[in-house]
Amino acid sequence: MAPRINGVGIRPEETRICVVMVGLPARGKSYIAQKAQRYLKWLSIPAATFNVGNYRRNDAPHPSADFFDTNNAEGERKRRAAAEAAVVDMMKWFKSGGVVGILDATNSTKERRKWVLDRINQEGIDVIFVESKCDEEELIMANIRDVKTTSPDYQGQDPEQAALDFRNRIRNYEKVYKTINEDGDEDHLTYLKIMNVGRQVIINRIQDYLQSRIVYYLMNLHIRPRSVWLSRHGESMLNLEGRIGGDADLSHRGEEYALKLPGLVRESVGSDRPLTVWTSTLKRTIATARHLPKHYNQLQWKALDELDAGVCDGMTYQEIADMYPEDFQARDEDKYNYRYRGGESYRDVVIRLEPIIMELERSEDILIISHQAVIRCIYAYFMQKTQEESPWVPVPLHTLMKLTTRAYGTEVEIFKAEVKAVSTWRGKGSTAKHEDPIPEGGV
Amino acid sequence: MSGRLFHSGRIAIVMVGLPARGKTHICVSMARYLSWLGVKTRIFHLGDYRRATVGQGGHVPQDYFYPNASPASVMLRQKILKKCREDIYAWLNHENGQVAIYDAVNPTASGRRALAKEFAKHDVQTLFIESFVDDQEILKENARNVKISSPDFHGMDPDEAAKRYLKRIETKIPVFETMAEEELNYIKMINAGQAFFYNNVSFNYLSHRIVFYLTNLHIKHRTTFFVRAGTATEEDSYKADAPLSAEGEAYAQVMAETLVRHREQERQATIDQGGPDVPLRPLTIWTSTRLRTIQTAEPLRELGYKVRHRSQMSQINPGVCEKLSERAIRSLYPEEVEKHELDPYHHRYPRAESYHDLAVRLEPIILELEREQNDLLIIAHESVLRVLYSYLMHCSTRDIPKLKFPRDEIIEIIPAAYQNEAKRVHIPGLDPKMIPGSPEDIRIPVPPGSEDFGGRQLTPISIPAMIMGSPPSATEVTIGFFGKTGDRKGSVSIGGGDRKGSISVSNNGGLRSVSGSFSGGERPVTEKIVNNTAKEMVEDKVADED
């Protein structure tokens, strides 16, 4: 039976990559590492981050700035031991099936980079260095304030004092810091250097497709906090009948939502700043967007069309359960991988959404009006939902979601239109009909 | 809607770099990729304008490229630039062009700044792409390729000729400033892709695609094979996703045997011709996630070949047209049929995918294909083969919906520097019933005249061989368009079987065109698409630059 066949998805064989972060403290390395990990996992590529700082804290939980002075032999020894411990754990993880390991540390000297490279190559794993280099004072300060005053290193300390100490720590790093290939003798390395948050980028000796994917993704990241708005289409005529898929018009209440949407959007934006609206190519999303102000740019993407239910398109859950009982059950067991006969699985949708995510990462102020399964996949990307969770996330009709990305995670705000609609949610293992989602079920 | 694809505005891609830096290769590859994506793209070679202005056999003055050139030379330079730019604007404004690739040396920072400013005035974004080479080996290699046919170097030691040629460039263009303009968008490609430098002011989606593409672009020597999936039990249903029929399974077996035998024969032939006795490159198989393609790969998988399933490679979605006869479609959706006939590549029936949608969906596959090191067998539905084939062989988008892949042939695509080459390997002993096009294909009506494809037909594998510089005859105008508007030099022709230099085709003794519907020349030239006539361009350049 078809749905069982796909399992490996886009995972490439035999390529294992260690992404080694490089850069002074407060340059957004952890942010980049975390984003890369989230992106890869969303694409079903096993990825994990190994933060050397966490290993070092076992030994030196609250070090002061002179711990990081290169003349401090004790500090130097402990930091080296922490790096070694992180690499050892990473190697274990690779042996258990890891594909992309991220080593999050400063790696700010040539000697350290050489050590890392030799150590990891020895295990038959490719190394790609990713450096974030930034000399815009304002950005660095913002980073220091946001992240480091909440760092476990400074827990319980006076924030002013902590910031001062942290800047001294950076100064100690600066004394020995060498950007990659500064002396011209690291040209053999595979590396990506992002300068001033992507203003300039250098790519050197990228070897294979997966590396180029990671590099391309990181090039598209930008670090400023910003929001993405998500909404499903208004209730459709098929929603009323409990039928899935199709290309129906809006119901009366769906129309009502479309009329209320502009106000809801303005309220959530907090100003008259225009958003760019992305819809699918299906009638119900285009109709939902049509009352938005004229100066909002509107674009249709085929990739935002609803999950294709194949033979089940236009059927109710009851009809599906009657006609394809095995399928109905198989879908409950592994909804992420279940592919409708002649249609798509959630995994398939994720793959086709990848260019959309790429574009979202680059853009600001986007409102996406799409469909339940598609919104779930986009939501899963931002909220780091697992494959077990993401297909079950309740995304009610007539509700606007605002996702705001912060350094460590994403915030969600919900705006309800107060227009009644049928529920289109069905719990795992439940009867074949739509029901009300459990109140605490997220979203 | 922006009215243009990918919601990006109009873009001028401006090349920067001295001769022998591989600019032509970059231009041509990029144009191929973009036009395949459905972006209307055209290359404007400044050299063509120079030639047109100074006339056949004429030369630009000695100081033409000098920063302190004489007033007369400056005037001439400006006149040539103006003409070229006017053509670019005319094409963008009146022919709905989207990406103009402006191929010139553009050696100075001041000149580039002025250019970007001028394009901005016309509401055109500028992206500079510099090919910077300081690796002497690459330079020599490029020079060798460029001057191959120049009579000046006839009989000379190739290394010596290359050295002289590079020297000549230096004398002719004494000032070249590599890009460092912070306020401009640019990509610097260093030593043919070994490193890249991006200065990113305001890249849009399309620029990013270009960046990603360039990162993945490299010349490789592996072969790609295409075959159809075997016949399934429910041939006419898209949604059913039916398994292979008994005939389909037999087909999969014969196909596998033929492919394995063919690869072994090719290897033997290389050895017989004095080539090295090296083992075959590993073969990887990509199928879609549709059952029949997966099952078609089964005999090969059993032989130990690696098979990967790619959900992006599912056949084109027929939407409402599924299971409808052409007559039914015409009577149920007359307005859609009308729209479809106007633009069969972009038009999308309700809930269906257009070929353009399919190309966009397949794009990640293309990029991965560019990177793949192993030989590759792609087993997919005809619609998917059409789109992938058209990328590799650079067919016009308007021909894509009409390409045919009979089941009794394995298509072998062999890469070459500027234009790939396609071969067909016959699969013997198949039931003739299963050979023709897909019964499960969408019966979307195609414009009248193209139904004369019954039975065995050929796809335009003849393209690569036909660009060797012979002028096109009047009956064949589809692709190609270089230099001045109206100048049809260098266009690629499809059709006509009597071309010298065309590669041999074992079928029907001729190069029947996919675009057979317009053979006879009555078809108006409504669209021109940049095509790959790089070799010819290179010859021109030699004449120009030496």
Side-chain angles (χ1 to χ4, degrees):
Chain A
M1 183 170 119
R4 290 278 163 215
I5 287 159
N6 186 17
V8 286
I10 55 149
R11 177 173 162 178
E13 292 113 339
E14 288 157 18
T15 323
R16 289 177 304 168
I17 298 173
C18 178
V19 176
V20 178
M21 302 304 300
V22 174
L24 292 168
R27 263 62 179 186
K29 288 190 304 297
S30 297
Y31 177 76
I32 293 171
Q34 176 231 343
K35 283 273 232 181
Q37 179 189 323
R38 189 181 78 189
Y39 165 73
L40 291 163
K41 283 173 92 164
W42 184 71
L43 289 172
S44 305
I45 297 172
T49 305
F50 297 83
N51 181 303
V52 173
N54 288 341
Y55 287 84
R56 188 254 308 145
R57 270 186 279 279
N58 292 334
D59 243 11
H62 303 291
S64 67
D66 39 310
F67 178 85
F68 299 93
D69 189 333
T70 40
N71 297 321
N72 180 342
E74 176 64 6
E76 185 68 11
R77 192 190 59 75
K78 283 189 172 167
R79 289 193 291 137
R80 177 68 173 263
E84 176 64 39
V87 171
V88 167
D89 276 3
M90 185 190 279
M91 293 310 144
K92 269 190 222 146
W93 174 80
F94 271 124
K95 288 205 178 80
S96 69
V99 173
V100 181
I102 304 170
L103 186 67
D104 184 10
T106 51
N107 298 306
S108 54
T109 65
K110 281 196 285 186
E111 294 69 33
R112 177 55 63 86
R113 290 195 286 269
K114 182 170 180 337
W115 176 79
V116 170
L117 180 71
D118 291 348
R119 181 74 180 74
I120 291 168
N121 276 350
Q122 199 184 311
E123 312 268 349
I125 291 160
D126 295 336
V127 172
I128 163 167
F129 290 95
V130 174
E131 175 169 356
S132 172
K133 186 171 180 292
C134 178
D135 40 30
E136 277 173 25
E137 196 55 32
E138 208 178 302
L139 256 153
I140 299 169
M141 281 315 293
N143 250 332
I144 291 177
R145 272 194 308 270
D146 280 8
V147 184
K148 293 305 170 180
T149 47
T150 58
S151 151
D153 282 354
Y154 296 110
Q155 217 163 24
Q157 293 185 28
D158 169 44
E160 285 302 306
Q161 203 58 40
L164 190 68
D165 185 83
F166 189 61
R167 279 161 84 177
N168 286 333
R169 183 196 290 195
I170 294 175
R171 239 163 250 140
N172 273 326
Y173 273 108
E174 276 169 350
K175 280 188 230 160
V176 291
Y177 169 63
K178 280 249 157 87
T179 179
I180 298 176
N181 207 23
E182 186 170 336
D183 298 338
D185 56 358
E186 291 182 296
D187 194 41
H188 58 288
L189 300 183
T190 294
Y191 68 85
L192 163 71
K193 193 189 291 197
I194 304 169
M195 287 168 284
N196 290 327
V197 206
R199 184 78 170 64
Q200 290 172 323
V201 177
I202 298 176
I203 296 177
N204 198 51
R205 296 189 190 271
I206 292 301
Q207 311 291 336
D208 67 11
Y209 182 68
L210 182 56
Q211 288 182 5
S212 76
R213 281 274 285 276
I214 296 170
V215 163
Y216 180 64
Y217 173 75
L218 294 178
M219 281 176 69
N220 278 310
L221 281 186
H222 67 105
I223 299 181
R224 260 167 302 167
R226 77 230 149 76
S227 304
V228 175
W229 285 260
L230 304 176
S231 171
R232 290 178 62 191
H233 53 81
E235 183 185 74
S236 76
M237 297 306 284
L238 285 187
N239 288 148
L240 283 180
E241 299 168 27
R243 293 181 184 280
I244 63 171
D247 188 12
D249 292 318
L250 294 182
S251 72
H252 184 68
R253 294 189 298 199
E255 291 286 355
E256 210 179 311
Y257 177 66
L259 284 167
K260 281 201 167 178
L261 188 60
L264 210 56
V265 170
R266 213 172 300 122
E267 182 197 334
S268 71
V269 174
S271 72
D272 280 334
R273 185 170 96 245
L275 304 184
T276 300
V277 184
W278 296 353
T279 67
S280 73
T281 64
L282 297 173
K283 286 191 274 190
R284 54 194 186 277
T285 64
I286 297 166
T288 305
R290 75 181 192 284
H291 300 298
L292 288 163
K294 285 277 169 285
H295 63 288
Y296 283 28
N297 201 9
Q298 295 203 11
L299 315 167
Q300 294 169 16
W301 294 86
K302 187 80 188 162
L304 289 174
D305 282 5
E306 179 60 313
L307 183 147
D308 181 355
V311 286
C312 298
D313 186 73
M315 290 165 78
T316 65
Y317 279 137
Q318 191 56 55
E319 286 167 356
I320 298 170
D322 292 346
M323 279 183 80
Y324 305 99
E326 276 172 44
D327 286 66
F328 191 74
Q329 203 190 335
R331 186 157 196 264
D332 262 14
E333 277 162 21
D334 185 0
K335 196 172 176 188
Y336 188 80
N337 287 304
Y338 172 82
R339 178 179 292 127
Y340 276 109
R341 290 169 188 248
E344 288 179 301
S345 66
Y346 272 84
R347 181 186 292 279
D348 296 341
V349 173
V350 162
I351 291 170
R352 79 159 136 95
L353 280 175
E354 202 216 342
I356 295 276
I357 290 297
M358 215 59 112
E359 185 60 1
L360 260 182
E361 282 295 350
R362 295 194 323 93
S363 321
E364 287 179 56
D365 292 342
I366 303 289
L367 162 61
I368 296 180
I369 301 176
S370 181
H371 307 266
Q372 180 160 259
V374 172
I375 300 274
R376 277 174 176 157
C377 292
I378 297 172
Y379 181 83
Y381 169 77
F382 282 104
M383 304 307 293
Q384 223 170 339
K385 292 282 173 203
T386 64
Q387 296 173 3
E388 288 73 41
E389 295 171 288
S390 61
W392 300 99
V393 171
V395 186
L397 286 166
H398 301 175
T399 305
L400 179 68
M401 264 192 280
K402 180 184 181 185
L403 307 184
T404 306
T405 54
R406 304 257 180 241
Y408 287 96
T410 306
E411 277 170 21
V412 187
E413 285 169 87
I414 302 284
F415 299 85
K416 288 208 168 288
E418 306 303 339
V419 177
K420 281 217 172 70
V422 294
S423 166
T424 55
W425 186 84
R426 192 186 71 80
K428 184 170 179 169
S430 66
T431 48
K433 64 172 205 258
H434 288 119
E435 53 194 297
D436 280 331
I438 17 170
E440 66 275 13
V443 185
Chain B
M1 297 285 288
S2 62
R4 285 190 170 77
L5 291 164
F6 299 104
H7 318 309
S8 295
R10 300 177 303 176
I11 299 173
I13 295 179
V14 178
M15 302 303 297
V16 174
L18 290 167
R21 265 65 180 177
K23 292 199 300 296
T24 306
H25 177 62
I26 298 171
C27 286
V28 168
S29 308
M30 226 160 27
R32 178 171 67 126
Y33 169 70
L34 290 171
S35 37
W36 175 79
L37 267 182
V39 176
K40 205 165 169 189
T41 307
R42 193 198 290 180
I43 307 179
F44 295 82
H45 298 283
L46 192 59
D48 290 344
Y49 290 84
R50 209 154 50 224
R51 275 188 295 280
T53 309
V54 298
Q56 197 67 38
H59 288 285
V60 294
Q62 184 67 38
D63 65 350
Y64 183 79
F65 287 102
Y66 290 9
N68 55 348
S70 66
S73 288
V74 173
M75 287 262 284
L76 177 65
R77 205 156 68 192
Q78 277 166 356
K79 182 176 155 199
I80 291 169
L81 289 176
K82 188 159 170 270
K83 181 79 192 79
C84 180
R85 267 173 238 162
E86 278 169 3
D87 277 3
I88 292 178
Y89 299 136
W91 180 72
L92 290 171
N93 292 332
H94 306 304
E95 294 182 54
N96 203 28
Q98 185 167 7
V99 175
I101 301 177
Y102 176 52
D103 183 20
V105 177
N106 293 308
T108 67
S110 58
R112 294 189 291 256
R113 288 198 173 99
L115 195 59
K117 207 184 253 174
E118 206 205 299
F119 278 132
K121 246 192 276 170
H122 287 81
D123 199 19
V124 176
Q125 291 189 64
T126 310
L127 169 67
F128 291 89
I129 298 181
E130 174 177 353
S131 178
F132 178 88
V133 181
D134 61 1
D135 181 322
Q136 292 306 312
E137 279 311 304
I138 299 176
L139 274 181
K140 258 193 260 167
E141 179 64 31
N142 283 350
R144 271 198 292 266
N145 287 339
V146 170
K147 52 99 233 130
I148 243 158
S149 52
S150 165
D152 282 18
F153 299 106
H154 188 71
M156 201 181 279
D157 169 57
D159 275 351
E160 180 59 26
K163 216 189 284 172
R164 277 211 205 173
Y165 174 73
L166 292 171
K167 190 83 205 142
R168 205 183 277 188
I169 292 170
E170 256 175 62
T171 334
K172 215 170 142 184
I173 313 176
V175 174
F176 178 82
E177 301 161 354
T178 188
M179 288 203 76
E181 296 91 304
E182 272 186 17
E183 75 281 19
L184 301 180
N185 274 322
Y186 68 85
I187 302 170
K188 197 185 290 193
M189 193 170 179
I190 299 155
N191 289 332
Q194 183 212 302
F196 291 87
F197 182 90
Y198 303 96
N199 193 60
N200 172 352
V201 181
S202 58
F203 281 2
N204 59 26
Y205 183 65
L206 203 49
S207 325
H208 274 274
R209 302 313 302 166
I210 294 166
V211 168
F212 192 38
Y213 178 73
L214 288 178
T215 323
N216 279 291
L217 175 71
H218 66 157
I219 299 169
K220 57 252 134 226
H221 301 282
R222 48 155 210 88
T223 304
T224 308
F225 298 96
F226 287 154
V227 291
R228 292 266 304 282
T231 44
T233 49
E234 281 183 68
E235 274 294 83
D236 60 348
S237 175
Y238 166 79
K239 284 180 181 168
D241 194 16
L244 286 183
S245 61
E247 298 79 37
E249 280 172 20
Y251 162 81
Q253 201 61 46
V254 182
M255 183 276 289
E257 284 160 16
T258 309
L259 181 69
V260 171
R261 196 169 52 236
H262 170 74
R263 283 181 20 106
E264 192 43 53
Q265 279 168 355
E266 294 264 288
R267 190 181 85 94
Q268 198 53 50
T270 316
I271 296 168
D272 293 348
Q273 286 162 22
D277 183 0
V278 288
L280 280 171
R281 259 189 305 273
L283 176 75
T284 305
I285 297 150
W286 292 357
T287 74
S288 78
T289 43
R290 309 286 290 181
L291 204 47
R292 70 179 69 115
T293 68
I294 293 169
Q295 292 182 344
T296 304
E298 197 49 26
L300 287 162
R301 197 187 63 78
E302 280 167 9
L303 288 171
Y305 293 96
K306 211 167 259 171
V307 180
R308 293 176 61 189
H309 310 141
R310 317 298 306 264
S311 62
Q312 296 105 319
M313 285 186 4
S314 291
Q315 71 205 61
I316 198 165
N317 188 332
V320 295
C321 297
E322 179 173 18
K323 289 189 177 175
L324 292 180
S325 69
E326 178 172 339
R327 214 164 51 112
I329 296 170
R330 282 188 188 280
S331 67
L332 283 168
Y333 304 101
E335 286 162 23
E336 296 292 339
V337 170
E338 208 171 290
K339 284 189 216 155
H340 189 85
E341 289 182 350
L342 283 174
D343 191 354
Y345 178 75
H346 290 105
H347 173 260
R348 179 195 289 149
Y349 278 92
R351 307 210 56 200
E353 282 178 305
S354 66
Y355 271 93
H356 178 248
D357 292 332
L358 186 56
V360 171
R361 163 151 74 79
L362 285 169
E363 198 212 359
I365 298 284
I366 287 293
L367 292 168
E368 198 165 348
L369 201 129
E370 288 285 354
R371 274 278 172 190
E372 178 68 44
Q373 311 285 337
N374 293 343
D375 280 0
L376 201 59
L377 167 66
I378 293 178
I379 305 178
H381 185 263
E382 198 166 24
S383 56
V384 171
L385 297 184
R386 283 178 188 132
V387 173
L388 294 177
Y389 180 92
S390 73
Y391 168 75
L392 288 170
M393 299 308 293
H394 200 179
C395 308
S396 157
T397 49
R398 71 163 56 231
D399 293 328
I400 291 173
K402 294 176 267 165
L403 294 171
K404 295 280 171 194
F405 294 87
R407 263 205 189 86
D408 64 342
E409 285 174 342
I410 300 171
I411 316 291
E412 177 178 14
I413 296 184
I414 302 153
Y418 290 120
Q419 173 73 56
N420 299 332
E421 199 183 294
K423 264 208 247 176
R424 280 152 189 276
V425 181
H426 180 65
I427 303 175
L430 293 181
D431 182 346
K433 272 212 307 284
M434 74 186 308
I435 292 167
S438 319
E440 78 279 22
D441 201 358
I442 318 177
R443 310 230 173 100
I444 288 176
V446 285
S450 47
E451 294 92 42
D452 58 339
F453 277 127
R456 296 165 54 79
Q457 284 299 330
L458 286 164
T459 43
I461 57 175
S462 47
I463 293 178
M466 299 176 126
I467 59 172
M468 301 298 288
S470 48
S473 76
T475 55
E476 321 147 330
V477 208
T478 42
I479 333 182
F481 203 78
F482 288 93
K484 301 185 310 163
T485 314
D487 174 1
R488 218 164 270 146
K489 171 183 66 65
S491 61
V492 168
S493 46
I494 296 182
D498 53 354
R499 264 297 128 65
K500 89 173 152 52
S502 52
I503 53 171
S504 63
V505 178
S506 55
N507 269 326
N508 295 358
L511 300 159
R512 286 282 295 282
S513 153
V514 268
S515 320
S517 52
F518 57 85
S519 63
E522 72 283 0
R523 182 172 153 218
V525 184
T526 51
E527 188 185 17
K528 301 119 196 163
I529 294 165
V530 172
N531 209 306
N532 195 343
T533 59
K535 279 189 182 148
E536 182 179 284
M537 280 154 43
V538 168
E539 283 164 22
D540 277 356
K541 280 171 62 152
V542 172
D544 181 42
E545 276 155 11
D546 288 347

